[in-house]
Amino acid sequence: MAIEDDVLVIGGGLAGATAALAAAERGVAVRLVSFKQSTLRHASGLIDVLGYGPDGGGPLAEPYDAIPDLPTGHPYERVGADAVREALSFFDALAGDAYRGDHTETNALVPTSGGTVKPTARYPAGAAAGVATDERPALLVGFDALPEFDAPLAAEHLRAAGVPFDVRGVTLSFPGEFRDDAKITRYAHALDRDEPISTNAGGRPARAALADAVSAHHRGEARIGVPAVLGDEFHEAVRTDLADRLGAAVFEVPTGPPSLPGLRLEDLLFDALESAGVRVTTGVPVVDHEVADGSGIARTGGAAEAGESVDRIDRVLVDRGHRTVPYRASEYVLATGGLVGKGVRSAREEIFEPIFDCHVRAPADRYDWSEPAAFGDHAFARFGVAVDRDLRPLGGDGEPEFANLRAAGAVCGGYDYAAEKSGAGVSLATGYVAGGRAGEVASG
């Protein structure tokens, strides 16, 4: 027997979670199915809309002003600027006080672990005191066991970038002894619980010990930035406690992976899914699909003959412990990620989408998939399914592949999320539109 829902979302990242939540708002039965852990744990936790134009221009202060000039086929061009705004408002309602930036459509500039400033539309509350437009002096603190954040080098890069504040960096040892595995999460848990740890001054609670270690290097700077390790479940309380002890605003610098801001965002989204009544099935891959007999939507032209209809997906097949189980829905949303998330895959001679075999446009010669320069204009960065304005994947003839399938997030092609700094924004906007429209159709 098939497991049945109104809307089935495949993929548990930002796009999939947003699609499921948007569909659930329409009062229909929604299920989210994902195979692996969400890629959010590898993300910064920042919500970027558009930091740079496709031509490399930027950083952009006003991302919405640049959307009308994006090329045809870009996900933002498909959904429109108003839908991007609506998706950000949808996120703001979900995030509540956990994120900042909803007061403006202008990008904020948030320092990163590499000493660059990243243009972003929404950022965790824990990063708010670190924005680069704040002119107060800042001290960056790194830990020798976390070499991915070299605080002195990051400070040097920020000075070279011309930030409007004095900044310096120091590296110190995180107080106490910790095992080498997963130091970020171990530090966070120790601070969450304020565990007693051994120091040269004897046993001290973790927060007091860390404050003492930082205080020894503090020269009165108004702001202190540390890697994003300041607790998980109680990170707001940890950061407030340290700020009180140090007499300075404390902010987190996004790092990863594992990324605690990304994990916190994942928790926020999955708590919202539970509250919305979305059924979540994890740890199982969707491996194939079956097409319904008979009706679909009428084709509009192109290579199709007059009166020919577009196929409908009847059900997908899920591998549950080497046993194939059918899942059926009225509408489907594909949010499995791009090349990195394995939602789009490559073979020696082709690029393909593995579940529905949706068309992925790519140069015939694989040597044209990339450029010799490391930061060149690589074709592979834009690989993904092309979509219509309803976000339905299009075949090679420009017609929808299926009547009841929409795509969201990095599985959509036509944009370079890394160069544009647009990944989270595209996931939100396409997830919001795809899920909302699927929910509307399913509600009938």
Side-chain angles (χ1 to χ4, degrees), residues 14-15 18 47 87-88 90-91 269 423-433:
L14 180 58
T18 303
I47 304 297
L88 265 290
F90 184 73
F91 175 79
L269 291 169
V426 166
S427 290
L428 274 174
T430 55
Y432 177 75
V433 171

Side-chain angles (χ1 to χ4, degrees), residues 60-417:
L60 301 175
E62 306 288 344
Y64 294 99
D65 290 350
I67 289 177
D69 297 326
L70 294 172
T72 300
H74 191 290
Y76 286 156
E77 184 271 335
R78 301 281 84 181
V79 301
D82 287 344
V84 181
R85 289 186 174 94
E86 291 172 11
L88 265 290
S89 295
F90 184 73
F91 175 79
D92 293 336
L94 291 173
D97 294 336
Y99 272 74
R100 300 286 187 270
D102 58 338
H103 64 291
T104 179
E105 290 192 345
T106 301
N107 275 331
L109 297 175
V110 176
T112 67
S113 57
T116 61
V117 288
K118 189 177 187 184
T120 190
R122 302 289 187 271
Y123 47 94
V131 294
T133 49
D134 191 328
E135 298 184 359
R136 295 178 296 168
L139 169 67
L140 300 183
V141 176
F143 303 117
D144 51 16
L146 301 177
E148 60 267 28
F149 180 44
D150 185 330
L153 183 61
E156 181 181 332
H157 287 172
L158 288 171
R159 291 193 297 269
V163 295
F165 54 89
D166 292 331
V167 57
R168 65 186 182 89
V170 298
T171 301
L172 51 87
S173 295
F174 196 95
E177 296 292 332
F178 292 85
R179 284 165 41 190
D180 287 339
D181 60 316
K183 276 193 162 62
I184 288 177
T185 52
R186 290 188 182 280
Y187 293 164
H189 293 162
L191 292 167
D192 259 347
R193 301 162 185 154
D194 206 13
E195 294 175 353
I197 57 178
S198 299
T199 68
N200 292 334
R204 302 288 310 281
R207 300 178 194 176
L210 178 57
D212 287 348
V214 174
S215 181
H217 299 272
H218 187 207
R219 298 177 186 169
E221 290 89 351
R223 300 183 290 161
I224 299 174
V226 299
V229 299
L230 299 183
D232 184 11
E233 185 177 358
F234 305 113
H235 53 92
E236 183 70 24
V238 172
R239 185 167 49 81
T240 300
D241 193 354
L242 288 175
D244 291 343
R245 293 175 185 274
L246 292 165
V250 174
F251 65 92
E252 289 186 315
V253 179
T255 57
S259 164
L260 279 175
L263 287 166
R264 296 168 191 158
L265 177 57
E266 181 182 54
D267 289 343
L268 185 155
L269 291 169
F270 276 78
D271 286 347
L273 290 169
E274 182 178 2
S275 297
V278 174
R279 301 168 179 85
V280 177
T281 304
T282 60
V284 292
V286 178
V287 294
D288 206 348
H289 72 284
E290 294 180 356
V291 175
D293 293 331
S295 64
I297 60 171
R299 289 186 182 272
T300 58
E305 296 180 2
E308 184 180 352
S309 64
V310 180
D311 288 335
R312 290 184 61 85
I313 299 163
D314 178 57
R315 58 187 185 174
V316 295
L317 303 177
V318 174
D319 183 356
R320 303 193 65 166
H322 305 292
R323 181 171 62 94
T324 301
V325 178
Y327 282 61
R328 178 179 286 121
S330 298
E331 300 290 318
Y332 298 84
V333 177
L334 178 67
T336 45
L339 281 169
V340 174
K342 301 297 179 67
V344 175
R345 297 186 183 179
S346 63
R348 185 162 185 82
E349 301 298 335
E350 65 173 338
I351 303 292
F352 62 99
E353 185 280 307
I355 297 174
F356 300 102
D357 195 26
C358 292
H359 175 71
V360 178
R361 184 182 297 113
D365 189 340
R366 64 177 290 111
Y367 288 101
D368 293 332
W369 294 359
S370 62
E371 295 287 334
F375 298 101
D377 183 19
H378 300 293
F380 69 77
R382 297 183 294 277
F383 285 167
V385 300
V387 294
D388 66 9
R389 298 192 185 281
D390 245 2
L391 297 181
R392 293 175 301 190
L394 299 174
D397 59 359
E399 295 289 342
E401 299 259 26
F402 300 97
N404 58 340
L405 175 67
R406 291 170 177 80
V411 75
C412 298
Y415 75 114
D416 182 346
Y417 70 87

